[in-house]
Amino acid sequence: MQLNELSQRSGVTPASIKYYLREGLLPPGEAVHATRAEYSARHLERLELIQALRQIMGLNIGQIRGLVKMADDGVPRLDLLAAVQRVVLDLGNYTTSIGGEAAEATDAVVRLRGWPDSASDARNALTAHLELMAGLKIPVSETVLDAYSKAMDDVAGLDIAATTAPESTDRLILTAAVGMHMHSQLLLKLLALAQASHAIRRYQR
Amino acid sequence: MQLNELSQRSGVTPASIKYYLREGLLPPGEAVHATRAEYSARHLERLELIQALRQIMGLNIGQIRGLVKMADDGVPRLDLLAAVQRVVLDLGNYTTSIGGEAAEATDAVVRLRGWPDSASDARNALTAHLELMAGLKIPVSETVLDAYSKAMDDVAGLDIAATTAPESTDRLILTAAVGMHMHSQLLLKLLALAQASHAIRRYQR
DNA sequence: AGCCTTAGGATAGAGCCACTATCCATGCGT
DNA sequence: ACGCATGGATAGTGGCTCTATCCTAAGGCT
């Protein structure tokens, strides 16, 4: 298939496809000769991935490029999942200082939940976030952390169990990202409803 | 105090303050005469609110305008909190159809948790989100909804209890928005860590 | 009283992002 | 052999959040 057909099948305009090619999100088609290139099902799949990451998750071009580069480089699955987490759950842009109360709180949570005691983006992000909250004078008691982490442990168990092995790396990213996003959003909607319910009970009388 | 001092005390450049005035985020200062206006502590507080909503929460000007308009119009506290939720937890932009499986699932959750059975943005958002997930063929079992909602119910109870009564409407918005945001982000970080932990257990062997 | 500074108002420009449109030489398909 | 689509390059668009410039008017210091 060539550009026009790819465009029609994916619903992405040719101009945008060219843009994605330029930005390195979409690998170039196999050049039949100077002015003709052939695209495959892989390109279609990639375009679907790009569409989902842009429109559903709201990722920017740079973030998407990072993910698809990893896919093209064939990095291990766990690293890929970690990268997806980083952009979908917004774990990036954090600077963690070593030690400190926040780090201890994080360690305590990890021990309490029996999670593997290894460094990770998620762990750094958690520590950094606790530091941020401490800086903003928003207290996070051990009780709260305990309750939150228990809840998330339960949720994560269900999430991971529901993840099925995908047939291609692009599909892995797609299902993992969409799944993570949808589940975390679901959690936030439930939180909103729960908060609203508690607020009504508390204030409306 | 006048423009320059307001700028220095808030850390916002005069040009940006003018922009906020133009956009109606900041009420005009009390005009001493044609070319001089006096700003008060309220303006400083408002600027801090705007800064936080922009930089920490990433709200856009339109969303902030909506919130501060409500504050200036003196709408009831519960409505204000609902509006804060809408922008902070991203409950807007949803179209819900009446009835359907998703609505039933939402009703079931509300009954199960003993939450007040009233319409709300949060409830609509939840229903719409469940519809979206169904459309994407991401199954959400009753078990999952039960576990998630229980977790969020516990969390919300702690959240609301931690909310202290603020002295001004701007402060109410600020503490509510920052608190909501920080707590929801904390949850997401914990979710990330929990997921990573489960994934390691599952895949790394 | 006179002049320098600064406020406020209006308008235009900057910088970023994700496209989108135009232009051009090329060469396949009919 | 010739029209039309292609790849490649480059420039433009529109939305958003500022930021900079200009201008007039007036306060206040001397």
Side-chain angles (χ1 to χ4, degrees):
Chain A
M1 119 189 64
Q2 49 200 49
L3 192 63
N4 224 14
E5 190 183 346
L6 183 63
S7 163
Q8 283 174 344
R9 286 226 252 165
S10 63
V12 181
T13 63
S16 293
I17 293 178
K18 285 182 172 188
Y19 171 65
Y20 294 146
L21 285 166
R22 279 200 301 284
E23 292 294 325
L25 305 194
L26 197 61
E30 193 170 348
V32 179
H33 57 263
T35 75
R36 219 46 60 124
E38 188 71 17
Y39 299 96
S40 66
R42 266 196 59 232
H43 293 89
L44 194 53
E45 195 172 87
R46 175 61 57 89
L47 269 179
E48 282 163 14
L49 174 61
I50 294 171
Q51 290 273 88
L53 293 180
R54 283 279 314 128
Q55 290 169 16
I56 305 182
M57 340 276 313
L59 301 191
N60 64 36
I61 299 299
Q63 292 172 315
I64 296 176
R65 181 167 37 223
L67 288 181
V68 301
K69 273 241 157 66
M70 291 182 79
D72 291 341
D73 293 351
V75 306
R77 181 169 43 187
L78 265 180
D79 296 337
L80 207 49
L81 288 177
V84 170
Q85 264 199 342
R86 193 161 47 239
V87 293
V88 173
L89 299 182
D90 193 28
L91 305 182
N93 338 323
Y94 282 108
T95 46
T96 326
S97 48
I98 316 159
E101 278 181 46
E104 281 168 33
T106 300
D107 292 348
V109 167
V110 169
R111 274 196 307 277
L112 179 67
R113 298 267 80 87
W115 289 336
D117 186 14
S118 51
S120 68
D121 284 338
R123 191 165 179 166
N124 289 338
L126 175 57
T127 302
H129 191 71
L130 286 173
E131 273 170 6
L132 176 58
M133 290 182 80
L136 289 172
K137 304 268 190 307
I138 302 173
V140 182
S141 67
E142 218 171 295
T143 317
V144 170
L145 262 185
D146 186 4
Y148 280 27
S149 64
K150 167 130 188 23
M152 292 306 102
D153 195 38
D154 294 346
V155 166
L158 292 167
D159 283 3
I160 297 292
T163 305
T164 53
E167 56 278 15
S168 77
T169 308
D170 277 23
R171 286 263 169 250
L172 170 64
I173 296 179
L174 183 60
T175 56
V178 172
M180 256 178 224
H181 178 76
M182 287 296 149
H183 276 271
S184 67
Q185 287 296 307
L186 174 58
L187 218 42
L188 291 188
K189 308 305 183 222
L190 280 165
L191 176 62
L193 186 52
Q195 277 180 348
S197 301
H198 281 259
I200 287 174
R201 280 216 205 97
R202 193 185 172 84
Y203 291 120
Q204 201 174 61
R205 56 190 58 187
Chain B
M1 112 189 73
Q2 47 200 46
L3 192 64
N4 225 14
E5 190 182 347
L6 183 63
S7 163
Q8 282 174 345
R9 287 226 252 165
S10 63
V12 181
T13 63
S16 293
I17 293 179
K18 285 182 174 186
Y19 171 65
Y20 294 146
L21 285 165
R22 278 200 301 284
E23 292 295 326
L25 305 194
L26 197 60
E30 192 170 349
V32 179
H33 57 263
T35 75
R36 221 41 65 121
E38 189 70 16
Y39 299 96
S40 67
R42 267 195 59 230
H43 293 90
L44 194 54
E45 197 171 86
R46 174 61 58 89
L47 269 179
E48 283 163 14
L49 175 61
I50 294 171
Q51 291 274 89
L53 293 180
R54 284 277 316 127
Q55 292 168 15
I56 304 181
M57 338 276 314
L59 302 191
N60 64 36
I61 299 300
Q63 293 172 315
I64 298 177
R65 182 167 35 224
L67 287 181
V68 301
K69 274 241 158 64
M70 291 182 79
D72 292 340
D73 292 350
V75 307
R77 182 169 43 186
L78 265 182
D79 295 336
L80 207 49
L81 288 177
V84 170
Q85 262 198 345
R86 192 161 45 239
V87 293
V88 172
L89 298 183
D90 194 27
L91 305 183
N93 337 321
Y94 282 108
T95 44
T96 326
S97 48
I98 315 158
E101 278 182 45
E104 280 169 31
T106 300
D107 292 347
V109 166
V110 169
R111 274 197 306 277
L112 179 68
R113 297 268 81 86
W115 288 336
D117 186 16
S118 50
S120 67
D121 285 338
R123 190 165 181 165
N124 289 338
L126 175 57
T127 302
H129 191 71
L130 287 173
E131 273 169 7
L132 176 59
M133 290 181 79
L136 289 171
K137 303 268 191 308
I138 302 173
V140 182
S141 67
E142 219 171 293
T143 318
V144 170
L145 263 186
D146 186 3
Y148 281 26
S149 65
K150 167 135 189 21
M152 291 307 99
D153 194 39
D154 294 346
V155 165
L158 292 167
D159 283 3
I160 296 291
T163 305
T164 53
E167 56 278 17
S168 76
T169 307
D170 277 23
R171 286 261 169 252
L172 171 64
I173 296 178
L174 184 61
T175 57
V178 172
M180 254 178 226
H181 178 77
M182 288 295 149
H183 277 271
S184 67
Q185 287 296 306
L186 175 57
L187 266 181
L188 292 188
K189 309 306 183 220
L190 281 166
L191 175 61
L193 186 52
Q195 277 180 347
S197 301
H198 281 259
I200 287 175
R201 282 216 205 97
R202 191 183 173 83
Y203 292 119
Q204 200 174 64
R205 53 189 57 184

